[in-house]
Amino acid sequence: MSKKLSMALVAAAVAALAIFGGSASAAGATHASGGTINVDLQSDVGYTDPALNYYQAGWELEYATCLKLLNYKDGNGPQSSQLVHEAAAGFPKISNSGKTYDFTVKAGFTKFSNGQPVTAASFKAAFDRDADPEMESPAISFFSDVVGSDKSPVSGVQV
């Protein structure tokens, strides 16, 4: 498998996991206090819990509100297919013949809505939560190639 394809697959998996992992706000963003947002959907959202949602309507909301390690540039055309780092400080260090991806999460990048900082442990917790058999998360199928993803906590994801 080519390095580009391998990187794209990992980025897609990371993005999917991050979607299931929880939401956070972007650093430096201006936040209004209070207010109302109205969202008009053609169908209902199965879950708003990122670990349980599986259908498109929920994914669209989560994609707009959840923090990802890597993401695609906003925009139209070819630029929208370029990977950029979002919560990650940069692209991962790849080792072990392309089997190990080490991400560094930006320090102080952002906080969850409860004020807790987003850390590497936050992403690890998302993996572990999805792998918990009691959760019955559909997310597990998106990272079944991760070593130890069939266990809770996930042994192949380390902080």
Side-chain angles (χ1 to χ4, degrees):
M1 184 180 320
S2 75
K3 195 169 189 175
K4 273 189 175 180
L5 177 59
S6 178
M7 186 70 160
L9 290 173
V10 167
V14 169
L17 287 171
I19 288 170
F20 289 117
S23 64
S25 59
T30 303
H31 301 283
S33 179
T36 302
I37 182 171
N38 294 306
V39 180
D40 187 13
L41 300 173
Q42 292 181 359
S43 63
D44 196 5
V45 175
Y47 291 95
T48 56
D49 183 331
L52 296 174
N53 182 56
Y54 186 76
Y55 297 106
Q56 180 182 350
W59 279 27
E60 290 176 7
L61 286 173
E62 290 169 8
Y63 190 84
T65 60
C66 293
L67 180 66
K68 296 160 279 298
L69 285 169
L70 300 175
N71 201 357
Y72 291 98
K73 276 188 172 183
D74 285 334
N76 297 318
Q79 72 181 16
S80 64
S81 65
Q82 295 175 350
L83 274 176
V84 294
H85 35 91
E86 192 169 286
F91 290 104
K93 177 184 165 199
I94 302 171
S95 60
N96 191 19
S97 298
K99 294 179 182 177
T100 301
Y101 291 71
D102 290 323
F103 286 91
T104 299
V105 175
K106 293 178 187 175
F109 172 66
T110 189
K111 295 181 179 182
F112 288 103
S113 59
N114 65 2
Q116 294 295 313
V118 174
T119 65
S122 307
F123 288 92
K124 167 77 166 120
F127 275 93
D128 291 343
R129 185 168 184 258
D130 292 340
D132 184 341
E134 291 185 23
M135 196 66 190
E136 296 182 11
S137 174
I140 193 72
S141 64
F142 292 102
F143 63 99
S144 60
D145 288 342
V146 173
V147 173
S149 64
D150 58 337
K151 298 172 178 54
S152 180
V154 178
S155 61
V157 178
Q158 302 171 5
V159 179

